[in-house]
Amino acid sequence: MAKNVIVVGTQWGDEGKGKIVDWLTDHARGVVRFQGGHNAGHTLVVGGVEYRLNLVPAGIVHPGVDCFIGNGVVLDIHHLLFNEIETLEAGGIEVRSRLKISPGCALILGYHAALDRARETAKSRDARIGTTGKGIGPAYEDKVARRALRVYDLFHPARFAEKLKENLDYHNFVLSKYFAADPVDYQEILEQAMSDAERIKPLVADVSAALHAINEAGGNLLFEGAQGSLLDIDHGTYPFVTSSNCVAGQAAAGSGIGANMLHYVLGITKAYCTRVGGGPFPSELDIETKGTPGHQMSDKGKEIGVVTKRKRRCGWFDVPALKRSARINGLSGLCITKLDVLDGLPELKICTGYRRHGQTVDLLPMGAEEVGACEPILESVPGWQASTVGLTSFEALPEAARAYLAKIETLCGIPIDIVSTGPERSETILRRHPFQ
């Protein structure tokens, strides 16, 4: 009988989902991306070779595994073709015979990126979201406004051209009159889209039907989330969020399956916290001063955004934030990543609650303003001096590291089923397998 697993980030993204999706793919017949766009960045290290992915599911490096981009994804076809597929194929990975794209994906076109950049530039520095400027937000806006161009429109040139003209009349007015930015050229967008359409056409398929067929045949499916739950458009620290739903429930809507096909939710969670861009971060630390815990997290953890290339902000593990993620995702188990980054720190702290408006709270509030009013309540625990890099047995971890993980487990109420001790597939401790 098939068992299907969803992998989601439980913090503000960048938790290390790519490695875990890749690691779990050994047990999957298909891997599915169900939301977001090429603002996501997954880094895989396989046999010493590093792969950087934005849209292509992390399971692509496994021969014989089918990969799917579901209807919930907003798609920049030009980026997919020339920045990802060609790069993977140049590295010897067969992509086109195994990657299938839903015709229902909303398209990201040149004017979306232009709007994204113009809007962010127009804001004051403190009000900036920290968007990647790749057009993801405006593309989702068009989708909700029912004016999006979708993959299936590409194969009807006259219809596509007419819809594109209507969209550009509107968006160029906003660009030129509201933001005083240069308008986007209609003919240039049209010609590139029609050229890309011919290349992408062989990859387009009914993803929903394909997933149901695999499931009915007894094959396992792995659903790969992008970003993190605290960036969810409904449940995150709004407005400092992404433009899609990042939680487990979106796996059904974003790929065309029923909730009855979802069996286990794995929450990927760093042993500390990070955040890229603007927005509140209660347990944040100083990352610039050498010799401080925050600097070690930043430097040793190589906390640079895969897509943005910006330094990630770092802070102590945040229990109230993880509790919120556990509730909105229905987590079955946790995978703790980057435990080794904490090696050598004599003392660790865990944010166990907040003080907010004179009260103590143990759950992350909703909305950026309310989260911004939170002061962390920190509990100290012993660190460890021995290295945890590459360990594959829980018993082999230093006693203080095991105690740290046990403390997290108890405070959050979610079992830790996997611990990642390095970027390679083999550097993993398994306590309970999500597919078994």
Side-chain angles (χ1 to χ4, degrees):
M1 183 177 176
K3 185 174 184 181
N4 303 323
V5 172
I6 313 164
V7 172
V8 294
T10 62
Q11 297 162 318
W12 285 281
D14 308 305
E15 300 94 348
K17 296 180 290 295
K19 175 210 165 162
I20 302 304
V21 170
D22 169 63
W23 185 80
L24 287 170
T25 298
D26 279 341
H27 289 74
R29 176 68 181 80
V31 182
V32 190
R33 173 76 182 276
F34 57 86
Q35 48 79 216
H38 62 307
N39 54 339
H42 289 164
T43 301
L44 313 179
V45 180
V46 183
V49 179
E50 188 172 270
Y51 300 93
R52 293 178 180 269
L53 306 174
N54 301 122
L55 286 163
V56 178
I60 200 69
V61 297
H62 289 254
V65 175
D66 290 329
C67 290
F68 302 90
I69 296 178
N71 57 275
V73 174
V74 286
L75 190 64
D76 184 323
I77 292 181
H78 202 71
H79 173 90
L80 176 65
L81 287 169
F82 297 103
N83 292 73
E84 290 194 62
I85 292 178
E86 282 196 356
T87 301
L88 287 166
E89 289 177 337
I93 295 176
E94 169 54 37
V95 178
R96 294 173 197 266
S97 66
R98 298 189 291 123
L99 179 64
K100 299 301 177 187
I101 301 166
S102 170
C105 290
L107 296 173
I108 299 175
L109 298 166
Y111 51 88
H112 293 124
L115 284 162
D116 208 354
R117 292 190 296 267
R119 184 178 298 153
E120 191 78 343
T121 302
K123 292 178 180 176
S124 66
R125 186 169 296 276
D126 290 343
R128 290 176 185 173
I129 303 299
T131 172
T132 59
K134 294 180 180 292
I136 280 76
Y140 274 115
E141 288 176 35
D142 273 2
K143 179 179 176 179
V144 173
R146 294 173 290 190
R147 59 173 169 255
L149 285 155
R150 296 185 182 244
V151 169
Y152 52 63
D153 290 313
L154 288 167
F155 311 122
H156 301 274
R159 183 174 80 194
F160 184 93
E162 183 180 351
K163 288 185 176 182
L164 177 62
K165 187 177 187 307
E166 290 177 3
N167 278 3
L168 270 183
D169 284 346
Y170 171 74
H171 288 307
N172 275 338
F173 178 86
V174 174
L175 280 168
S176 60
K177 303 299 183 184
Y178 190 76
F179 292 114
D182 293 334
V184 174
D185 185 74
Y186 166 81
Q187 197 63 34
E188 183 180 328
I189 297 287
L190 179 62
E191 288 177 4
Q192 180 178 300
M194 291 298 98
S195 174
D196 291 343
E198 292 304 309
R199 293 181 173 91
I200 207 74
K201 192 171 185 177
L203 306 184
V204 177
D206 188 333
V207 166
S208 174
L211 298 180
H212 278 272
I214 291 173
N215 191 70
E216 288 169 5
N220 294 338
L221 294 169
L222 180 58
F223 294 85
E224 170 190 309
Q227 287 86 40
S229 299
L230 303 183
L231 294 175
D232 184 273
I233 187 69
D234 286 313
H235 301 284
T237 48
Y238 189 90
F240 297 93
V241 292
T242 193
S243 298
S244 63
N245 289 110
C246 312
V247 293
Q250 178 62 20
S255 56
I257 63 163
N260 62 322
M261 283 176 57
L262 305 175
H263 305 123
Y264 177 106
V265 183
L266 180 66
I268 313 300
T269 308
K270 273 181 183 167
Y272 49 101
C273 280
T274 63
R275 178 165 198 164
V276 171
F281 186 179
S283 69
E284 185 171 9
L285 294 168
D286 168 22
I287 64 171
E288 300 298 339
T289 304
K290 290 186 178 181
T292 62
H295 183 269
Q296 175 166 320
M297 293 171 189
S298 176
D299 184 56
K300 190 173 180 180
K302 298 178 181 177
E303 296 296 355
I304 303 291
V306 174
V307 174
T308 63
K309 307 303 180 187
R310 292 174 295 184
K311 276 189 176 182
R312 297 178 186 134
R313 301 151 65 191
C314 299
W316 296 118
F317 191 93
D318 190 321
V319 173
L322 197 283
K323 283 183 177 179
R324 173 68 72 182
S325 287
R327 292 185 181 190
I328 61 180
N329 285 294
L331 295 181
S332 309
L334 293 175
C335 168
I336 302 295
T337 63
K338 291 199 167 185
L339 181 69
D340 55 293
V341 172
L342 302 180
D343 292 352
L345 288 175
E347 180 187 48
L348 303 176
K349 293 183 181 180
I350 300 174
C351 174
T352 58
Y354 309 128
R355 293 185 184 87
R356 180 175 62 100
H357 306 317
Q359 296 183 325
T360 300
V361 295
D362 64 357
L363 190 67
L364 186 80
M366 293 187 71
E369 292 82 3
E370 290 303 307
V371 177
C374 292
E375 297 179 7
I377 298 171
L378 300 173
E379 181 176 333
S380 296
V381 296
W384 56 90
Q385 299 305 306
S387 173
T388 63
V389 176
L391 295 181
T392 57
S393 164
F394 192 79
E395 290 70 28
L397 290 171
E399 182 179 353
R402 296 198 305 271
Y404 180 69
L405 294 174
K407 184 85 171 177
I408 289 173
E409 215 172 29
T410 300
L411 289 171
C412 298
I414 308 294
I416 295 173
D417 289 343
I418 301 171
V419 180
S420 175
T421 57
E424 288 279 0
R425 288 173 181 166
S426 59
E427 297 173 325
T428 306
I429 295 171
L430 176 64
R431 304 179 78 192
R432 181 176 65 139
H433 203 295
F435 276 118
Q436 294 171 355

